[in-house]
Amino acid sequence: MLAGLAVTCSVVGGALMLPVADAVELTGEVGALITVIWMIAPLESVAVVIRERSSAPIPAAFACASLFSNSSWTLYGFYVAKDAYLWAPNLVGALAALIQVMLLMVFGLPKAASAQAKRASSAAADKDAGAPLEILTSSIGQSGQSVQGAQLDHEKPNPSSTRSRPMVGRSDLPPASPGGAPR
């Protein structure tokens, strides 16, 4: 991510120092390159699809939408706009999407049952991840004892905890002044 930011800053900085025509050319070339990289990125799953003989890693809706969109922009860029910066990267994207759609046709769409099983296991994992977490504090109270096992209001009480709720304020301190500091 930082590399992308560095490239973007370099291109923008370089473009600001160039004459307008050269700046347009530079930003067009860099934009086309970034677009091509972005469009061929889903092809990294092709080896997995062929090895496992399953099209599960391919997002079918995205592949079909990419094929339609990139084909449309390729035709528009070639026949109407006559702009290689428009049609060339979209041609690469259309070919990448075509490969994905062909793999979907060869290996078929993933079975609905396996998709439901994945959703069920994902829901079970989310349930486990969403279980209430115990908040452990190690602050020293006025009596010198450590207060541990403080919990949020929505959690079940912890039998090993000496308190069922976190300490919100201390009654042994003087009330705060309007500025927030004790008087």
Side-chain angles (χ1 to χ4, degrees):
M1 178 132 144
L2 290 176
L5 181 62
V7 169
T8 303
C9 290
S10 299
V11 169
V12 170
L16 290 174
M17 294 183 230
L18 295 173
V20 175
D22 294 339
V24 168
E25 180 103 8
L26 176 67
T27 54
E29 290 169 355
V30 172
L33 177 66
I34 291 170
T35 301
V36 166
I37 292 169
W38 175 66
M39 289 180 188
I40 64 171
L43 292 180
E44 71 176 336
S45 64
V46 168
V48 174
V49 169
I50 293 172
R51 183 175 56 244
E52 295 179 2
R53 305 191 67 68
S54 168
S55 64
I58 298 175
F62 180 75
C64 292
S66 293
L67 180 60
F68 175 74
S69 175
N70 288 321
S71 298
S72 300
W73 281 109
T74 299
L75 293 172
Y76 175 81
F78 189 79
Y79 289 111
V80 178
K82 298 181 182 355
D83 184 1
Y85 290 125
L86 183 58
W87 67 261
N90 283 292
L91 178 62
V92 173
L95 294 174
L98 181 63
I99 291 170
Q100 294 177 63
V101 170
M102 289 174 56
L103 287 171
L104 286 167
M105 292 170 63
V106 168
F107 296 113
L109 291 173
K111 302 287 186 245
S114 66
Q116 289 174 348
K118 285 181 185 178
R119 281 195 296 268
S121 66
S122 171
D126 289 345
K127 181 181 176 190
D128 290 341
L133 298 175
E134 191 172 295
I135 300 173
L136 297 176
T137 60
S138 58
S139 60
I140 305 297
Q142 178 132 12
S143 64
Q145 297 176 348
S146 175
V147 179
Q148 292 185 348
Q151 299 172 342
L152 296 175
D153 290 338
H154 69 278
E155 296 178 354
K156 297 176 187 172
N158 183 353
S160 65
S161 173
T162 57
R163 297 179 57 87
S164 62
R165 297 179 58 166
M167 188 180 341
V168 175
R170 292 187 44 189
S171 60
D172 60 327
L173 294 177
S177 66
R183 291 184 213 165

